[in-house]
Amino acid sequence: MYNAKKILLTSFDIWLSQQESNSSDDLLLALAKMASLSHDLNFLPRLPVDVQLASSRVIAKINELQPDYIICCGMAETRSQLSVEVLARGTGILPVKSPNSLDILPQESINSPENIFQTSVDLEKLLVQTAAVEISYDCGKFVCEGLYYKVLDYLHQFQLSIKCIFVHVPILNPENSPEIIADFVLIINNLALL
């Protein structure tokens, strides 16, 4: 019998008043409307654009759900295709709310290897048959990188076998949406096989 994989998917809320939506949330909404997916998808949408609040919500959901996989998503306005992030750095992340944020580590630790976490997912295998997805080494130094770092750090600290990736989503429009959604579904299906 087929054993559906439990997958936690997260997205962010908007952070600028002129934004109508966050493309990461738009993608998850489109995915939620699809009836043909055979996995146990669990959505944690519209996370606050704040590293501490977002990461504490995601970690609480990880503890509650015990998912097999985590796919964190964020918007990348300047990108034209999905980008899967290889790593996250724990330093140099720009604060969102307060310049005195505790999320920022001391500058002297910026090149310390313990401040970088890399996904354990084989991204080359993950992206097999996708049409237009890139592997990225730049998670953005903003709340996306902060969340990815904190989740990877948490999985590492507690030696959890849960696999986690971060996907940056470009602005969706009627022209690019079908291909981006198809690629994202392939990523989910491929991830469940790894």
Side-chain angles (χ1 to χ4, degrees):
M1 179 165 170
Y2 177 73
N3 186 13
K5 299 293 184 181
K6 193 182 296 183
I7 302 172
L8 173 61
L9 297 120
T10 74
S11 64
F12 282 104
D13 203 349
I14 60 169
W15 68 92
L16 298 173
S17 58
Q18 71 266 24
Q19 293 171 331
E20 291 181 24
S21 65
N22 185 307
S23 60
S24 67
D25 198 53
D26 297 340
L27 179 61
L28 294 196
L29 283 170
L31 195 64
K33 293 176 185 172
M34 297 174 72
S36 60
L37 295 170
S38 58
H39 305 289
D40 180 6
L41 303 182
N42 297 268
F43 297 93
L44 188 57
R46 301 186 73 131
L47 288 171
V49 183
D50 176 284
V51 174
Q52 281 301 107
L53 292 173
S55 57
S56 64
R57 286 192 190 172
V58 173
I59 288 168
K61 196 57 135 174
I62 291 168
N63 290 329
E64 175 193 326
L65 273 179
Q66 298 295 309
D68 298 296
Y69 304 98
I70 303 163
I71 304 175
C72 298
C73 299
M75 182 162 76
E77 290 179 292
T78 60
R79 300 188 192 184
S80 60
Q81 60 190 21
L82 292 174
S83 304
V84 181
E85 302 297 338
V86 172
L87 53 85
R89 293 172 179 86
T91 53
I93 296 165
L94 298 173
V96 178
K97 299 265 186 223
S98 162
N100 300 322
S101 172
L102 296 175
D103 286 345
I104 299 180
L105 300 174
Q107 285 299 315
E108 62 271 11
S109 65
I110 205 156
N111 293 320
S112 302
E114 66 271 12
N115 291 328
I116 297 175
F117 285 103
Q118 186 168 328
T119 182
S120 60
V121 174
D122 181 336
L123 297 184
E124 296 290 336
K125 285 185 181 174
L126 179 72
L127 302 184
V128 166
Q129 296 183 346
T130 57
V133 182
E134 66 180 352
I135 294 173
S136 168
Y137 289 84
D138 182 7
C139 204
K141 304 283 181 274
F142 191 47
V143 70
C144 293
E145 185 153 31
L147 174 64
Y148 196 26
Y149 179 84
K150 294 228 180 240
V151 171
L152 290 174
D153 183 26
Y154 180 79
L155 297 176
H156 174 77
Q157 277 184 41
F158 292 93
Q159 299 180 346
L160 301 174
S161 61
I162 302 166
K163 294 191 181 299
C164 177
I165 59 170
F166 194 101
V167 178
H168 267 118
V169 182
I171 302 292
L172 299 176
N173 58 52
E175 292 75 41
N176 70 6
S177 287
E179 183 176 71
I180 287 173
I181 293 167
D183 276 344
F184 194 73
V185 169
L186 257 174
I187 288 170
I188 291 171
N189 290 334
N190 288 346
L191 186 63
L193 296 173
L194 295 179

